[in-house]
């Protein structure tokens, strides 16, 4: 009887698990571009401009979190791991340009984002939907 009461209480007290964000939710623009195939302009953007890469889109194209503006402040406002992912997107775009070439990198980045930054994107999405 006590065990049954404990199980009932735990089931009602447990919070529903938040769903993981997909790449389409984190980076909708780059997700579409990569799925449809990138042209030379998009490829060069991925190679040269960290602010406008997929990682930059995830951060809202501000650039400060991806190391674009003030590098000494990255530990305070940004994420070194995201900077490295941005560099990996650049390297991949230099060498290849089909979606399948980016899939392992996208998968790793999405895993990192969901572990470290999901609340940032959720807050931004919630504020957009509230308008």
């Amino acid at each position: 009887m006590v065990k049954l009461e404990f199980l009932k209480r735990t089931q009602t007290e447990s919070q529903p698990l938040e769903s993981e964000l997909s790449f389409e939710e984190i980076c909708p623009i780059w997700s579409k571009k990569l799925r449809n195939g990138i042209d030379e302009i998009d490829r060069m953007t991925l190679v040269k401009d960290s602010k406008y890469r997929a990682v930059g889109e995830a951060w809202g194209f501000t650039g400060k979190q991806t190391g674009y503006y003030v590098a000494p402040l990255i530990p305070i406002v940004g994420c070194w791991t995201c900077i490295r992912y941005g560099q990996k997107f650049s390297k991949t775009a230099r060498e290849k340009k089909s979606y399948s070439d980016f899939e392992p990198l996208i998968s790793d980045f999405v895993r990192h984002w969901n572990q470290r930054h999901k609340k940032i994107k959720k807050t931004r999405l919630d504020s957009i939907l509230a308008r």
Side-chain angles (χ1 to χ4, degrees):
M1 185 70 136
V2 173
K3 189 175 183 179
L4 181 60
E5 287 293 321
F6 174 75
L7 288 174
K8 284 182 181 177
R9 193 169 11 129
T10 351
Q11 287 175 347
T12 58
E13 291 174 358
S14 65
Q15 300 281 332
L17 295 174
E18 284 190 42
S19 62
E20 298 290 300
L21 294 172
S22 66
F23 186 61
E24 291 77 20
E25 293 170 306
I26 299 168
C27 306
I29 296 169
W30 278 107
S31 172
K32 184 178 179 182
K33 285 182 179 193
L34 289 170
R35 285 199 186 279
N36 294 336
I38 56 174
D39 59 16
E40 192 59 25
I41 294 171
D42 290 335
R43 192 178 75 76
M44 291 311 296
T45 300
L46 281 173
V47 170
K48 294 187 179 223
D49 200 346
S50 64
K51 181 178 176 181
Y52 296 107
R53 290 181 194 143
V55 177
E57 179 183 3
W59 283 100
F61 296 115
T62 60
K64 65 182 178 183
Q65 290 88 352
T66 58
Y68 191 74
Y69 292 121
V70 187
L73 294 177
I74 292 166
I76 299 167
V77 297
C79 175
W80 284 109
T81 305
C82 285
I83 293 167
R84 286 191 291 276
Y85 277 114
Q87 292 167 347
K88 289 177 185 178
F89 271 98
S90 175
K91 182 179 179 191
T92 303
R94 245 184 252 118
E95 299 168 357
K96 308 158 186 164
K97 54 183 180 181
S98 74
Y99 185 78
S100 61
D101 297 325
F102 287 93
E103 280 180 333
L105 178 58
I106 289 169
S107 176
D108 289 345
F109 173 66
V110 168
R111 188 176 315 108
H112 164 74
W113 188 268
N114 280 309
Q115 289 172 352
R116 300 288 182 162
H117 310 298
K118 180 166 54 172
K119 289 182 182 177
I120 295 169
K121 195 67 172 187
K122 282 280 207 195
T123 305
R124 194 175 303 129
L125 288 172
D126 291 343
S127 68
I128 291 169
L129 294 173
R131 292 181 190 168

